[in-house]
Amino acid sequence: MSPRARLFTADEVSDALQISKRSLQKMCAERRIPFVMISGSYRVSDTHVEAIIATFEVQPGPVERKAAPRRRTAQPPAAPESGVTHLRARRPRRTAASA
């Protein structure tokens, strides 16, 4: 950073990047983006802003198309030869205790 570089406040940078001031401060506190701490406040230079944009830039890549998951279709049970239909139990309902 050159000695004459312009330093922007967190408000100015958050407006320019269209993010909240709190998000910018959080990223600075987590050391995810470059910054300068002056008198307890975060300051960001124009080269830092370029580095922030480069950090979060997403390059286009090949499109991966995933096949939709196949759904199992319910097969009707085969009719028994005796003429009796066997019943199946339902899944239990959710109760307040299990929610």
Side-chain angles (χ1 to χ4, degrees), residues 6-86:
R6 166 106 161 77
L7 294 177
F8 301 100
T9 64
D11 285 327
E12 293 170 333
V13 176
S14 63
D15 288 341
L17 297 177
Q18 297 180 354
I19 61 173
S20 69
K21 179 181 175 183
R22 180 67 191 124
S23 295
L24 182 74
Q25 290 173 334
K26 183 178 177 185
M27 286 189 283
C28 289
E30 294 172 350
R31 306 291 197 257
R32 292 176 52 199
I33 59 174
F35 66 93
V36 177
M37 179 71 79
I38 297 178
S39 299
S41 63
Y42 298 110
R43 303 293 176 152
V44 181
S45 71
D46 51 353
T47 56
H48 289 155
V49 172
E50 292 173 7
I52 292 167
I53 293 171
T55 300
F56 291 101
E57 183 177 20
V58 177
Q59 295 292 327
V63 178
E64 294 183 23
R65 299 202 182 253
K66 295 183 179 179
R70 294 182 176 232
R71 299 182 81 185
R72 294 186 347 178
T73 57
Q75 299 290 334
E81 297 177 15
S82 64
V84 177
T85 304
H86 295 281

